[in-house]
Amino acid sequence: MDARGYIEEHRGEFVAALKEWLAIPSVSADPDRHGDVRRSAEWLVRHLERTGFPTVEVWETPGLPAVFAEWPAADPSAPTVLVYGHHDVQPADPAEEWDTAPFTPVEQGDRLIGRGASDDKGQVLFHALGVRAGLAASGAGAPPVTLKLLIEGEEESGSPNFADLLRDRRDRLGCDVVVVSDTTMWAADTPSMCVGMRGLTDCQVDLYGPDRDLHSGSFGGAVPNPAAAMADLLSGLHDADGRIAVPGFYDDVVEIGEEERDLIARLPFDEAEWLATASSFAASGEAGYSTLERTWVRPTAEINGMWSGHTGSGGKTIVPKSAHAKLSFRLVPDQEPLRIQQAVRAYVEANVPDGVYAEVSFSGPGVRPCASDLSSAAVRAARAAMSRAFGTEVLYTREGGSGPEADLADILGAPLVFVAVGLDDDRIHAPNEKVEVPLLLKGAESAAYLWEDLARGV
């Protein structure tokens, strides 16, 4: 039996297993659900043991547990592949906006509805089906690569303990390739591979002037106004072409290659439809780049909020004593969040007038961007495997969000490959999250082919 036939034959038991797992409300952000996160890890251990993995372990962290599994290849010289995903899920709030109970998964035709169906339990579970399908097709007793799984339990809470877990367990996690299955495709009829994710750092800027609000008739025009200083500071973040005007901001930016730019341009993107989704009347941004390029491969500086002085009803004629703003910066390879933080601090300090004191507070070290090497054997193998499963050419996308992928690549010293089948309309993080079961089966088929291709090519 070939891999596709095996997967179709076992569709029913695959969906039944996924529904069982989705019924466990493993919400890492809710302390009352931490016991359920542990139950989720234990469920996955049992499932992977039944799949055939000879080594399956719960790995404790100072927070919530991860699951590690390993299935050695018959050939000790075969490449080692690590699959990353997560078994925790987002909260289901607001519960009243769900059409079905969020943790009672429901099938509607080819669609499976439930929290975690797409992000990320469905995309983790297709790997178990894929390895069994590959073995059924080859008749072998072990996969053609040494296969390791690391399934995190705190991704939806910012992965606070994940980098330390990678460092502490690096001797067990050694690999030649990291496969990430926690992203999306362009569309069901336009399969694609994510080849990069932007990073993030964010801050609050506080400007302080006089010790108290001042009467604008007595002092206005004669002392610096923190609100005016903030307006100047924020308006200067971008130049007339939409480029970020912070000195040094672009020093480490890796420009997109022509191959990737061509594949992005070939995506069936409807800007009018996109604008309608965004409830916006116009597209804007850095000159010289398309809308998709602006959201995927270019860095951004966004003003998330600002406030100062009197904001209640009626007038209050004052010079406010302070002004405040929240900013966020999306980063692209090879920008380092800490270097960007230094550049932003320097920009603020250089652009406040005498008599105004500035404080810049970042929320943390930030999230680093990551990208795949399009010329690598691993990326080409993954693209070939997905193309074979879907029966059509696979294009490239990136994602504007961020996650722990950069830590995986840097700490383990292995290239990243994204193999995922979620869709933007899967409503991840929103009520009525769903997944398309046929796409999960294509994911399993892609994985079955990928291990063969990597064994030959890496």
Side-chain angles (χ1 to χ4, degrees):
M1 177 181 295
D2 63 11
R4 181 173 297 174
Y6 181 93
I7 289 167
E8 288 295 340
E9 184 175 294
H10 290 80
R11 170 181 173 143
E13 62 189 72
F14 169 77
V15 172
L18 179 54
K19 290 170 70 174
E20 186 178 298
W21 197 16
L22 294 177
I24 302 174
S26 50
V27 181
S28 61
D30 183 352
D32 292 338
R33 295 294 192 187
H34 285 184
D36 293 314
V37 179
R38 183 166 296 278
R39 282 203 303 129
S40 171
E42 292 166 349
W43 184 95
L44 182 57
V45 166
R46 292 191 298 271
H47 185 80
L48 294 177
E49 288 174 339
R50 290 194 298 269
T51 297
F53 280 85
T55 299
V56 191
E57 301 168 357
V58 172
W59 280 3
E60 299 295 344
T61 75
L64 297 168
V67 172
F68 172 78
E70 183 174 7
W71 197 333
D75 179 358
S77 67
T80 297
V81 180
L82 175 74
V83 174
Y84 166 81
H86 62 92
H87 67 93
D88 65 319
V89 301
Q90 280 279 312
D93 302 334
E96 65 274 10
E97 293 187 14
W98 283 78
D99 296 331
T100 61
F103 296 106
T104 303
V106 173
E107 290 182 75
Q108 293 182 356
D110 284 336
R111 182 169 292 181
L112 181 60
I113 301 169
R115 174 60 86 221
S118 180
D119 183 27
D120 186 36
K121 289 180 175 178
Q123 301 205 71
V124 168
L125 209 63
F126 78 57
H127 283 287
L129 178 59
V131 70
R132 290 306 320 175
L135 295 177
S138 68
V145 297
T146 291
L147 188 58
K148 300 179 180 180
L149 273 62
L150 181 59
I151 312 303
E152 186 188 359
E154 296 182 308
E155 195 273 346
E156 300 292 10
S157 297
S159 303
N161 299 293
F162 190 63
D164 286 340
L165 179 66
L166 293 176
R167 295 186 188 98
D168 293 344
R169 301 281 190 159
R170 186 159 38 192
D171 60 328
R172 300 284 302 278
L173 294 170
C175 58
D176 299 292
V177 179
V178 176
V179 172
V180 177
S181 293
D182 188 23
T183 53
T184 59
M185 300 193 310
W186 180 260
D189 58 356
T190 308
S192 63
M193 284 177 59
C194 176
V195 293
M197 302 180 76
R198 291 195 295 187
L200 172 68
T201 189
D202 65 290
C203 68
Q204 179 167 317
V205 179
D206 301 295
L207 300 185
Y208 300 98
D211 290 338
R212 66 184 188 280
D213 292 346
L214 299 176
H215 190 293
S216 66
S218 301
F219 297 97
V223 296
N225 185 315
M230 181 66 80
D232 289 343
L233 188 74
L234 299 182
S235 67
L237 273 177
H238 299 87
D239 66 17
D241 290 325
R243 281 179 62 86
I244 298 161
V246 174
F249 195 89
Y250 291 91
D251 285 357
D252 299 317
V253 170
V254 176
E255 296 292 333
I256 185 173
E258 287 305 315
E259 178 189 4
E260 185 179 355
R261 197 166 197 181
D262 174 64
L263 289 173
I264 289 175
R266 289 164 58 189
L267 290 165
F269 176 64
D270 185 327
E271 186 162 286
E273 183 178 324
W274 181 85
L275 285 170
T277 301
S279 299
S280 177
F281 297 104
S284 68
E286 187 178 359
Y289 295 91
S290 70
T291 296
L292 288 180
E293 289 169 351
R294 290 168 180 164
T295 58
W296 288 348
V297 304
R298 300 304 292 168
T300 64
E302 293 296 339
I303 302 166
N304 308 131
M306 52 184 141
W307 64 101
S308 178
H310 177 63
T311 58
S313 59
K316 186 180 183 185
T317 52
I318 60 169
V319 175
K321 67 178 183 178
S322 63
H324 315 271
K326 291 184 180 290
L327 310 177
S328 63
F329 303 87
R330 294 286 175 176
L331 312 179
V332 300
D334 284 335
Q335 290 180 300
E336 292 288 341
L338 294 181
R339 289 194 64 180
I340 295 303
Q341 291 179 11
Q342 293 169 355
V344 171
R345 289 183 192 279
Y347 167 79
V348 172
E349 291 171 2
N351 287 277
V352 293
D354 291 341
V356 173
Y357 169 71
E359 290 183 351
V360 183
S361 305
F362 285 87
S363 63
V367 178
R368 301 175 65 220
C370 65
S372 301
D373 178 0
L374 273 58
S375 66
S376 71
V379 168
R380 297 198 179 280
R383 190 178 181 209
M386 290 189 69
S387 296
R388 182 179 171 189
F390 281 90
T392 189
E393 181 185 31
V394 170
L395 302 178
Y396 290 151
T397 62
R398 294 202 190 192
E399 294 203 354
S402 52
E405 287 76 12
D407 286 334
L408 280 161
D410 290 347
I411 295 172
L412 301 184
L416 295 173
V417 174
F418 296 83
V419 177
V421 294
L423 298 175
D424 284 341
D425 68 359
D426 279 347
R427 301 182 62 83
I428 63 173
H429 294 205
N432 302 309
E433 179 180 350
K434 59 86 176 174
V435 74
E436 304 293 335
V437 173
L439 293 185
L440 291 181
L441 302 184
K442 290 297 184 186
E445 189 178 346
S446 299
Y449 301 148
L450 178 57
W451 311 145
E452 298 175 2
D453 293 345
L454 289 176
R456 290 191 296 266
V458 175

